[in-house]
Amino acid sequence: MATKVLVPRLGEGVDEVTVTKWLKQVGDSVNELEPLLEVNTDKVDTEIPAPATGTILKIITQEGNAAKVGELLAIIGKTGESVDSGQLTADSEKPAAIASKVESQKSEPQPATLNLQPSTDLGFISPVVAKIAAEHGVDLTQVNGTGLNGRITKNDVLSYVEGQKSKVEIQKSANLQPSNLQPSNLQPGALIKHSTMRKSIAQHMVESKHTSPHVLTVMEADMSRVAKHRAANKAAFERDGVNLTFTAYFMMAIVAGLKAYPQTNSSWTDEGLLVHKNVNLGMAVSLGEDGLIVPVIKKAEDLSLLAMARAVNDLANRARTKKLQPDDVKGGTFTLTNHGVSGSLFAFPVINQPQAGILGVGAMQKRVVVIDDAIAIRPMVYLSFVFDHRILDGASADWFLAKVKETLENWV
């Protein structure tokens, strides 16, 4: 009996999605819970799993088209089965059933067809680890396991993938000549069609510039103590399956600044300033040529450094593997953007509305500084704080930024 594939409800207030990519085509076989297509809503690309095992008999909504919650996307059944008979399973009529499956796979997708046995050479390899390794073509014998008894974890594979990407980028940079700076897929006179995400980013950026009077203030922070603390604790965090990045420290310093100066954790309304009860920190994550997205760490004021680092890892990984849900990018009260990953020293970020400001972090470099009238070399970073001048003035903005700087420089 054929099964309908319907648009599930992916989050509160999400009534429509845009089909961005079909991962299976008519005639292809698919297993229950196997990723079937990708949809976009509110800048989030989400995989929709198949509600049943079978063959793709018909695709109703083509790539680039929108569909509302509950609308028909495709039909799955047995090869040769009629799709016009109306004999479709009743269970698939309920979008909530599929949405529940999507939610259950949000952080730890479990392919139903993958049933691996422990390897005598590598130890037990979980289905999630095997899936990620297969997707990225990773030879697991080259991955250093940090889990219990040296077991390879999901974060181990993702860290290895990121490391390989960095090596490739460095090699590309070394071979880059002015004559081939233009991407090979771009030709003079070509029209590059905007993606759904690029349109959404453009709309948000223009609206923000039209909404808030943007002002920039910049300070420089000495990262010596943070670097020392990270070096001393990185291995311990890895034993807990967490990659301790500098981003976690910046997020913790922002929390300290927002708690000291709550006005920075507010939004402008015509009636007055809405000071937010919780600190919900957005973290800009680059998706390469696809753009960027800002997942949110909710109630960041309650998190320890370990919990913050774990949340940073989780959101960044799910953003890059298209496992975010619409709720993951909502409710932010302040945003961090780390433009330094590409070598930028400081920048003028655009405020993520309706927030009061955004903090940009530049590349950390060892520089000559004067300390107690003596010349020293320290790992330094520029902190670029862009704020809404309706909410903050120069002095109050600098008080917040000074607290962030102080927290980083006096880390214990």
Side-chain angles (χ1 to χ4, degrees), residues 132-270:
I132 296 174
E135 288 176 349
H136 296 279
V138 174
D139 178 2
L140 290 176
T141 62
Q142 303 299 313
V143 180
N144 180 37
T146 62
L148 183 64
N149 297 323
R151 183 171 65 86
I152 297 175
T153 68
K154 177 180 73 172
N155 286 334
D156 294 331
V157 180
L158 292 172
S159 296
Y160 179 84
V161 171
E162 289 301 313
Q164 294 302 109
K165 286 182 179 178
S166 297
K167 291 179 181 179
V168 171
E169 290 303 318
I170 291 173
Q171 183 63 39
K172 285 182 179 179
S173 298
N175 296 330
L176 205 58
Q177 301 296 326
S179 61
N180 59 14
L181 283 175
Q182 189 178 35
S184 58
N185 62 329
L186 298 183
Q187 299 296 326
L191 176 65
I192 309 301
K193 190 173 181 179
H194 298 307
S195 65
T196 302
M197 176 171 285
R198 179 53 58 189
K199 289 180 180 178
S200 180
I201 291 173
Q203 179 182 354
H204 281 79
M205 296 300 98
V206 172
E207 287 180 353
S208 182
K209 279 291 189 177
H210 286 173
T211 300
S212 299
H214 285 55
V215 180
L216 170 68
T217 184
V218 180
M219 292 186 184
E220 194 174 18
D222 183 345
M223 296 290 289
S224 297
R225 291 197 174 188
V226 167
K228 183 178 179 180
H229 185 275
R230 178 174 180 267
N233 292 275
K234 197 170 188 299
F237 277 56
E238 287 178 350
R239 286 194 290 271
D240 286 326
V242 177
N243 180 23
L244 181 57
T245 64
F246 283 105
T247 298
Y249 291 94
F250 291 124
M251 299 287 264
M252 295 295 289
I254 289 173
V255 169
L258 295 179
K259 290 172 69 174
Y261 300 99
Q263 188 173 339
T264 314
N265 192 47
S266 71
S267 296
W268 175 272
T269 73
D270 291 338

Side-chain angles (χ1 to χ4, degrees), residues 109-126:
Q110 300 287 341
T113 59
L114 200 52
N115 183 17
L116 299 183
Q117 300 298 320
S119 164
T120 56
D121 297 324
L122 298 173
F124 178 76
I125 301 299
S126 73

